[in-house]
Amino acid sequence: MFDQPTVFLDVETTGATANRDRITEIGLVEVNGGTLVEEWSTLVNPGLRIPPEIEALTGITNAMVAEAPSFESLSTELHRRLEGKLLVAHNARFDYGFLRNEFARAGLRYLSKVLCTVKLSRRLYPQERRHNLDSLIERHGLVCNQRHRALADARVLWDFAQRIRQELGEETVQTAVTHVLKTPTLPPRLDAAQLDALPESVGVYVFYGEGDTPLYVGKSLNIRSRVLAHFSGDHRVAKDMRIAQEITRIEWRETAGELGALLQEARWVKRLTPVHNHKLRPAEELWALWWDVMKTVPPKAVSASAIEFAVAENLYGPFRSRARANRTLREIADANGLCARAVGLEHGGTGPCFSYQVGKCRGACCGRETLVSHNLRLAQALHRLRLEAWPYHGPIGVREADAVSGRTEMHLIDRWCYLDTVSSESDLHDALEARTERAFDLDTYQILSKWLKRHPAMAVIDLAPAVRS
């Protein structure tokens, strides 16, 4: 940041969605070698009305921008001012996203190394809870004469850079900057143009090697940043070193959000079976423990081929093998003083079970504990593994939208199986008509059940009526 041409930039906009809203003001502070070179700012006619709440926040009114130049008319000069320079912005994904969209509309391609001062502040001051611009101004004693005006906010970022250098020293700051930027080393067999084309959006990516062999599938909230991190100079992960030597091309798919990326990642790993992914690969057979607390029979391991996991009650798991199911039951019994015979791990015999003889059973096998008490403790121990039956009448759609890009998608799920992702009503009907019966999918179950619990307000649409019609 202190030894290269740098631009500290802020933009004001008509809203928060980069592909729909527009820039209303640009302010930048150009620095080289740690010395101020030039300041530049301009209002921009966005070509649409500024909402009243945005006028109130920024002080930029529709009357002020009525005679201002359009972004397209400014694009060539602004591109020249930014080209080849490190771009520093606060919550940089926002500013950079707007710039790239505006330049694209003007027919110009803009790519830059981007340093986010939110991330830099978190790296340097991990003990602090807040890292928004107002918090930085207060914490570091900075001065801002017009908050939410582009040049004033850009000046604050330049002042912040100077202040942290004074407080922490240039070496500490530069180390943090290097970490945040994660400068990549180009893999020897990968075309640099592929890295340049990577989008800065949420989605999934695939690395391919010689003979188009799938090497690795990954997901990220920022595909470009995550891919470049694989090739950072330190290569702390041995897997990344191997990938860097083998990779020949990259494929990716943008999604509307993190849920779509998680679902697509699981699907691609299963379909492509990449060399360096193991966690999401399909299991040959799924198992669970079936047990009804109201009955006297002990738990038993059952397979997905024998019982439909998506709708069955009283299932606990799932597990990737029968041995894993029984091993988990053994661990639960030992940890909770349960009787090996009562849970079905020891067969035959009379009197105390072996676990009781070695002090691991409280005596349900020999009258020291009632079976009712024993089973209540077993139910409590198994509760965390309870497999939730599909709670809907049929397929559902989970709607997801990206506020920055404006992309909206609907993920189609039925009985814990990921069917497809669509972005239009016609695609929705086609996907529902083409759906076929699929086996219970462990990864989709884990992804979606956790996601819906963490995001209860997420839009879930019952598609059963659409199927019946």
Side-chain angles (χ1 to χ4, degrees):
M1 185 165 55
F2 301 114
D3 60 3
Q4 60 184 305
T6 302
V7 168
F8 295 83
L9 176 136
D10 183 74
V11 299
E12 301 301 328
T13 67
T14 60
T17 306
N19 75 331
R20 185 180 66 231
D21 294 304
R22 297 293 188 267
I23 290 176
T24 59
E25 188 177 39
I26 305 165
L28 59 86
V29 176
E30 184 180 346
V31 175
N32 198 350
T35 302
L36 176 65
V37 174
E38 185 181 6
E39 294 182 344
W40 182 84
S41 70
T42 180
L43 289 169
V44 181
N45 187 330
L48 47 84
R49 290 196 64 76
I50 304 171
E53 64 272 18
I54 301 296
E55 285 187 316
L57 176 68
T58 65
I60 301 172
T61 66
N62 285 289
M64 291 168 61
V65 300
E67 302 300 322
S70 66
F71 188 92
E72 185 175 4
S73 66
L74 295 165
S75 60
T76 301
E77 179 187 1
L78 180 60
H79 196 278
R80 176 187 60 78
R81 289 179 177 276
L82 299 177
E83 191 173 18
K85 300 179 178 69
L86 171 66
L87 184 72
V88 180
H90 205 68
N91 191 18
R93 184 179 181 225
F94 178 90
D95 298 76
Y96 189 46
F98 267 90
L99 281 177
R100 290 196 68 182
N101 273 279
E102 292 279 21
F103 276 126
R105 294 185 197 102
L108 294 172
R109 188 163 181 266
Y110 174 59
L111 283 173
S112 176
K113 287 193 296 181
V114 181
L115 177 64
C116 178
T117 45
V118 174
K119 294 181 180 179
L120 183 60
S121 178
R122 286 176 180 154
R123 180 74 183 176
L124 291 170
Y125 301 94
Q127 73 280 8
E128 301 292 346
R129 292 182 57 196
R130 299 182 182 276
H131 300 274
N132 57 50
L133 199 56
D134 288 323
S135 296
L136 265 59
I137 290 170
E138 180 180 356
R139 186 157 61 241
H140 298 282
L142 307 176
V143 176
C144 184
N145 55 10
Q146 271 187 304
R147 270 293 278 124
H148 299 295
R149 291 301 300 269
L151 183 57
D153 286 355
R155 285 170 176 161
V156 167
L157 300 182
W158 166 229
D159 291 344
F160 170 68
Q162 297 175 87
R163 186 61 54 88
I164 59 178
R165 179 165 59 173
Q166 294 168 3
E167 292 178 358
L168 303 174
E170 186 165 336
E171 184 177 350
T172 298
V173 175
Q174 194 58 46
T175 298
V177 168
T178 300
H179 177 86
V180 173
L181 288 176
K182 293 181 180 176
T183 304
T185 301
L186 184 67
R189 297 197 288 173
L190 184 66
D191 186 350
Q194 291 208 38
L195 292 181
D196 290 341
L198 290 168
E200 296 190 310
S201 55
V202 62
V204 190
Y205 57 91
V206 188
F207 295 153
Y208 290 92
E210 193 70 34
D212 236 19
T213 301
L215 300 175
Y216 181 76
V217 173
K219 67 180 183 308
S220 179
L221 297 177
N222 185 321
I223 294 175
R224 179 179 175 80
S225 174
R226 183 68 189 95
V227 169
L228 295 182
H230 281 282
F231 311 128
S232 60
D234 53 4
H235 285 310
R236 286 185 293 270
V237 181
K239 177 178 66 180
D240 286 343
M241 293 184 66
R242 294 194 297 272
I243 290 173
Q245 294 301 312
E246 299 167 2
I247 187 172
T248 59
R249 77 176 182 93
I250 307 171
E251 181 182 319
W252 62 86
R253 174 175 170 177
E254 296 175 72
T255 64
E258 186 180 0
L259 176 58
L262 287 165
L263 293 169
Q264 193 63 42
E265 179 194 32
R267 169 172 285 185
W268 279 9
V269 170
K270 289 180 176 65
R271 190 183 75 200
L272 300 174
T273 59
V275 175
H276 297 292
N277 289 89
H278 299 285
K279 186 177 179 181
L280 295 173
R281 288 190 180 182
E284 292 183 4
E285 180 82 272
L286 286 177
W287 291 78
L289 293 169
W290 179 88
W291 182 65
D292 187 345
V293 68
M294 303 304 293
K295 297 184 178 180
T296 57
V297 296
K300 66 175 180 178
V302 294
S303 69
S305 60
I307 187 169
E308 192 174 355
F309 281 15
V311 296
E313 300 287 346
N314 305 314
L315 289 182
Y316 300 88
F319 308 97
R320 293 189 181 272
S321 69
R322 181 173 190 164
R324 178 68 252 187
N326 286 326
R327 187 160 63 250
T328 299
L329 184 58
R330 169 69 69 182
E331 291 167 357
I332 288 173
D334 290 346
N336 293 275
L338 299 171
C339 175
R341 191 177 299 147
V343 300
L345 294 172
E346 183 179 312
H347 303 283
T350 57
C353 70
F354 179 75
S355 294
Y356 180 81
Q357 296 174 47
V358 296
K360 292 184 177 181
C361 166
R362 296 187 188 177
C365 50
C366 56
R368 297 277 182 170
E369 180 184 29
T370 67
L371 190 58
V372 171
S373 174
H374 175 276
N375 284 351
L376 286 174
R377 293 194 300 108
L378 174 58
Q380 186 176 18
L382 282 173
H383 179 72
R384 65 181 179 84
L385 296 175
R386 187 174 184 84
L387 188 60
E388 184 180 352
W390 182 242
Y392 304 98
H393 298 298
I396 63 168
V398 182
R399 194 182 300 278
E400 192 169 30
D402 180 15
V404 175
S405 69
R407 181 190 298 271
T408 300
E409 294 176 335
M410 183 182 290
H411 312 300
L412 309 184
I413 315 289
D414 190 14
R415 299 189 177 195
W416 302 118
C417 292
Y418 172 45
L419 304 178
D420 205 352
T421 292
V422 299
S423 54
S424 69
E425 189 170 342
S426 61
D427 289 342
L428 170 62
H429 290 301
D430 291 344
L432 289 175
E433 288 181 4
R435 70 194 180 100
T436 57
E437 291 295 325
R438 302 188 187 188
F440 174 88
D441 184 75
L442 171 59
D443 296 310
T444 301
Y445 169 78
Q446 291 177 332
I447 290 168
L448 193 63
S449 60
K450 290 178 183 176
W451 187 272
L452 292 176
K453 287 175 183 176
R454 294 204 319 263
H455 303 84
M458 198 164 195
V460 175
I461 301 167
D462 183 1
L463 297 176
V467 173
R468 289 195 292 270
S469 64

